[in-house]
Amino acid sequence: MRQVAWWGSSGRDCLVYVLVPVGMVFAFILFWRLSYLPYRDWSLRPEEGR
């Protein structure tokens, strides 16, 4: 039986270990901002001002 290091057997594994949490954080921020979008208080554009 082949022994492998505890941190992964290749550089590709290391990349996956780094990119998966980064993608989860990105998805969390995206959904957080989209969910609070209706509650935003947008200021009027200059051409829309009355």
Side-chain angles (χ1 to χ4, degrees):
M1 185 163 148
R2 188 178 107 176
Q3 291 182 342
V4 295
W6 63 270
W7 44 267
S9 59
S10 70
R12 188 175 43 210
D13 292 340
C14 183
L15 241 159
V16 169
Y17 296 150
V18 170
L19 292 180
V20 167
V22 170
M24 291 174 69
V25 168
F26 180 75
F28 175 78
I29 291 172
L30 180 69
F31 289 126
W32 180 272
R33 290 186 177 191
L34 284 174
S35 65
Y36 279 98
L37 193 58
Y39 303 109
R40 255 330 258 241
D41 186 22
W42 301 105
S43 59
L44 294 176
R45 293 181 181 170
E47 61 267 9
E48 293 176 346
R50 296 179 191 178

